Amino acid sequence: DAKTTQPPSMDCAEGRAANLPCNHSTISGNEYVYWYRQIHSQGPQYIIHGLKNNETNEMASLIITEDRKSSTLILPHATLRDTAVYYCIVRVARTMNRDDKIIFGKGTRLHILP
Amino acid sequence: DTEVTQTPKHLVMGMTNKKSLKCEQHMGHRAMYWYKQKAKKPPELMFVYSYEKLSINESVPSRFSPECPNSSLLNLHLHALQPEDSALYLCASSQDRGRFGEKLFFGSGTQLSVL
């Protein structure tokens, strides 16, 4: 599976959009980009995923570049509760693949500043 | 119900003790996972069960013994642990393995301290 590179930490002012980058330059055509976040003392929480089109849900937007070598997670109006570690994961989506597994990288520690 | 429930939330045990961690979900998910997380590190995959059968063991020492008695329950039996095994143990579930758009749902974890 492809590996990801994320900045170790970022700051964002409350109420502003938080843009979290992820580099996955070795991604393959059948690998999805997933984002999870982990708020302190909790388990990771799924945010969003995509293959090549941009995606939006109630939590965030995911922008994937045309060459799929990088992506950006956007939290449109960050609040203090968005302070967390954000993990970008690429993952093959093959049915019944015994080796398919979600492996977490180091993530980005996002601080929302009041 | 979209919760994964882990018990206990905290556990302190000695190196000669035997204890078990429990995980439960009632979402009808057929894949369940154990992850281990040390402080300020990402979660590390330990085991994956698919349809109550162990499908992935990430070379975990035998002092950790997983068990999946039914599709809703996942246990992790602990015996003769070392202090370096102290960590947050996370359970997760998903509808199935390998499906497009599969999401993992995590519990809040068991914080384990081995003395």
Side-chain angles (χ1 to χ4, degrees):
Chain A
D1 288 347
K3 292 185 178 178
T4 63
T5 304
Q6 298 177 254
S9 67
M10 292 181 63
D11 292 339
C12 178
E14 189 178 17
R16 304 296 294 269
N19 296 282
L20 293 96
C22 180
N23 182 287
H24 31 80
S25 58
T26 59
I27 194 170
S28 299
N30 61 349
E31 289 181 319
Y32 279 67
V33 180
Y34 283 76
W35 284 83
Y36 284 77
R37 74 179 183 184
Q38 187 172 21
I39 295 170
H40 183 61
S41 300
Q42 297 183 22
Q45 175 191 25
Y46 165 85
I47 301 173
I48 199 167
H49 75 279
L51 183 62
K52 51 186 175 182
N53 297 323
N54 297 338
E55 302 288 345
T56 295
N57 63 22
E58 65 279 3
M59 289 182 70
S61 295
L62 174 60
I63 308 298
I64 302 174
T65 58
E66 193 169 345
D67 63 8
R68 303 211 321 123
K69 293 183 184 299
S70 66
S71 60
T72 301
L73 178 74
I74 301 173
L75 308 178
H77 304 288
T79 71
L80 296 178
R81 288 175 293 182
D82 292 320
T83 292
V85 179
Y86 287 77
Y87 296 102
C88 170
I89 299 162
V90 294
R91 181 172 176 225
V92 175
R94 294 195 291 260
T95 56
M96 303 308 291
N97 178 3
R98 287 180 56 81
D99 294 327
D100 177 43
K101 49 196 175 185
I102 287 184
I103 303 298
F104 288 83
K106 295 181 180 178
T108 295
R109 192 170 293 274
L110 176 67
H111 296 99
I112 305 301
L113 306 174
Chain B
D1 184 359
T2 58
E3 278 195 0
V4 175
T5 303
Q6 290 189 244
T7 55
K9 292 196 182 307
H10 299 90
L11 179 64
V12 179
M13 61 186 290
M15 289 189 284
T16 58
N17 292 159
K18 285 185 182 180
K19 297 286 185 184
S20 296
L21 310 184
K22 180 179 174 182
C23 174
E24 195 167 3
Q25 57 86 16
H26 297 288
M27 295 179 277
H29 290 174
R30 302 312 299 270
M32 297 187 78
Y33 311 74
W34 280 115
Y35 284 80
K36 171 183 176 180
Q37 186 174 28
K38 303 282 274 184
K40 298 195 183 302
K41 299 289 187 183
E44 297 175 20
L45 183 65
M46 300 175 72
F47 302 104
V48 181
Y49 273 83
S50 180
Y51 289 84
E52 294 102 72
K53 288 187 169 53
L54 183 65
S55 59
I56 293 179
N57 176 342
E58 292 286 274
S59 302
V60 178
S62 60
R63 58 186 183 269
F64 296 91
S65 175
E67 177 196 21
C68 190
N70 61 56
S71 59
S72 299
L73 283 175
L74 184 67
N75 298 319
L76 186 62
H77 302 297
L78 314 173
H79 174 54
L81 294 195
Q82 303 297 311
E84 59 264 29
D85 296 322
S86 298
L88 181 68
Y89 288 84
L90 292 160
C91 173
S93 71
S94 66
Q95 188 172 0
D96 202 342
R97 281 193 57 227
R99 285 177 53 165
F100 294 110
E102 181 184 358
K103 309 169 191 176
L104 261 61
F105 291 79
F106 283 83
S108 294
T110 294
Q111 186 65 53
L112 174 69
S113 297
V114 181
L115 304 179

